[in-house]
Amino acid sequence: MNRICAMITLLGTAALLAACDAPAGKAGADDFKYTIDSFADLKVMRYQIPDWENLSLQQKEYAYHLAEAAKYGRDILWDQNCKENLRVRHAVETILETEGIETENADYQSFLVYAKRLFFSNGMHHHYAEDKFFPACPREYFALLLEKAGIQDEELLEIIYNPEIYPQRRSTETSGDLVKLSAVNFYEGVTREEVEKYYAALVDPSDPHPVSWGLNTKVVKGADGIIRELPWKIGGIYSPALEKICEELVKAQTVAENDIQQRALGILIEYYQTGDLKKWDEFNIEWVKDTLGTVDFINGFIEDYNDPLGRKASWEGYVNIKDFEASKRTETLSANAQWFEDNSPVDPRFKKATVKGISAKVINAVCLSGDSYPSTPIGINLPNADWIRKEHGSKSVTIANITHTYDYAAQELPTSTLAEFAFSKKEIERYKKWGTVADEIHTDLHECLGHGSGQLLPGVSTTAMGEYASALEEARADLFGLYYTADPKMVELGIMPDPEAYKAEYDNYIRNGLMVQFTRVELGRPNTEAHMQNRKLIAEWCLEKGAKDKVIEKKVRNGKTYFVVNDYAKLRALFAELLAEIQRIKSEGDYEAGKNLIETYAVHIDPALHKEVLERFKALNLKPYGGFVNPEIVPVVKDGQVVDYKPVYTDDYLGQMLLYGKKYGTL
Ligand SMILES: [Zn+2]
């Protein structure tokens, strides 16, 4: 169940923008520097917390303890990503803190880049591509560093340098055993078949309220040949981290904003103590109810992207505060949810008679941790359990300060993908004028309404789409958003500022789906990530279906390829047609049709175009991926009393990583 829409921004809002005027009254006016570090294919930014000063002391204290709880979970993710990750990190930390090592040479600088990449990825595998990466310095040099740091570990260099050991975090091999081939630390000594059998015996398909079987456990086969689940709980695996998390959650409980938060935290603590998945569901039901608080959080084993079998969840922590001004926009969308459902271009049989439980708000991040740190989503929709979403609703948020930081950081740069890949001045001007807001509104529609829209026909399984489910679901939500960004209703509701603004999003989406996003795929590799597949599917399908009317036209100028939208109304009609079809596929559980769409339009990248895109992008000297350091929330003590909590904005990426290792290292 993929609900978190990480990465939407990378080439949507973020990397495409440059040299555009900062939104009024926001950054750009001050000297705050957003990009603080940059290496390999990554850049690290820092975000500000707007309106922090307006919180009461109690709210600040609540957010502070939730942030501490979030940071204490960091090591869990490292160990989940691969069981050797913490061992490697501890060695790297020790080297970085060893005095007397000569640093002004190329080998050390290569080691430093490796260390920074390691921290960024929470382990030895690229955070996005999931392939293992290697230090550029020679193995003998690394051995020397280990020696200087007093580390005696014969296996370490082999783990770091041998490409055969843990080659991929989550394997993308199409043949072989995904469970055995993946580096993730979710299974040990078991085959895919054994795991699937094990869970098939547990799961009762007729249970209307199933727990998320396997969400918080490691599956192992003992010497006795029996397959068991070892829970991640206090007294079980990850106990030291979970104990510290709970200590902070207890403190947070005493300063919570309301009874619901207090109750929810109590249940969460019980869940960590027992590992009981019923408690996890109970917690989520309570957590969904809290729509009134200003401070909110995510803390737990949340998303199952990293498990090749889609069951085990990665640990994640997130603390945020509501952005009241911007939330008005999404509240308006939610209030009109039924209108959008009724007027969507899908077959009435596939529409929900009543759309309920959509609570949407705009938030600002206060602390990112685990699976959300340093790389983080810009929109989140939780909880993941389908029946809870259906019966109790879900919370859907967009994260304003993260999105804005991407924009501001891009503006600090001299070159931009927008100028490179947009065909005309008019297109560039329009994007500068409306791009940010139109893109935000598209994200709002995607998160608040898109995922929640539509229904399955009776008897159709929620897992009918198999391995194509995520990409198709993202496409459905994106198409819902694309269709409605152009609707006059959006202007009427006061959300879209101008009837022409949506065109900026259409241009952007097509450019991105057909070209720009491939800057993040290695030449010769297929397009495999769900969100990227969804965008390619939509853009390619519209290019083909609109070819005879030249709805989207491929143009070549000075040897450079461009895709230009000629007819926005017809493009919108194509979005509507594809939305209707993908909704039909999902509602009817038409696996073959879903597979066919993905395999025809989403996977294969034209090698000549891919090469061109990579070369043009390389010449811009931009980084395809971004991540963030957190502000440190520091208690201000006066006469022995905490009188305030202040965010301190660090500009030292490595410093924060080393600090977290020391202060929040638990495993
Ligand atoms: Zn999504």
Side-chain angles (χ1 to χ4, degrees), residues 185-252:
N185 188 17
F186 296 145
Y187 306 98
E188 191 132 353
V190 285
T191 64
R192 174 180 186 163
E193 205 191 329
E194 285 171 327
V195 176
E196 281 172 347
K197 248 193 207 150
Y198 176 86
Y199 282 110
L202 285 180
V203 176
D204 171 8
S206 65
D207 184 353
H209 300 139
V211 296
S212 306
W213 291 106
L215 188 80
N216 63 340
T217 61
K218 179 172 177 176
V219 178
V220 298
K221 182 151 68 176
D224 52 8
I226 293 172
I227 292 170
R228 294 185 176 81
E229 285 184 277
L230 304 178
W232 301 326
K233 63 165 192 158
I234 290 178
I237 300 179
Y238 303 143
S239 193
L242 296 169
E243 284 166 41
K244 293 300 283 184
I245 291 170
C246 285
E247 269 175 38
E248 292 298 330
L249 295 180
V250 167
K251 290 178 195 162

Side-chain angles (χ1 to χ4, degrees), residues 420-421 515 523 554-556 559-562 606-618:
E420 177 60 36
F421 292 99
M515 286 195 297
L523 191 61
K554 179 176 168 176
K555 296 189 179 186
V556 179
K560 290 181 175 180
T561 308
Y562 301 87
D606 171 42
L609 181 66
H610 195 182
K611 185 162 175 278
E612 178 195 324
V613 166
L614 289 174
E615 281 168 3
R616 286 163 70 182
F617 184 72
K618 193 164 178 238

Side-chain angles (χ1 to χ4, degrees), residues 2-5 8 446-447 451 473-474 477 531:
N2 298 332
R3 295 292 177 181
I4 237 172
C5 300
I8 287 172
H446 174 119
E447 296 290 347
H451 281 305
E473 175 58 18
E474 293 309 326
H531 295 88

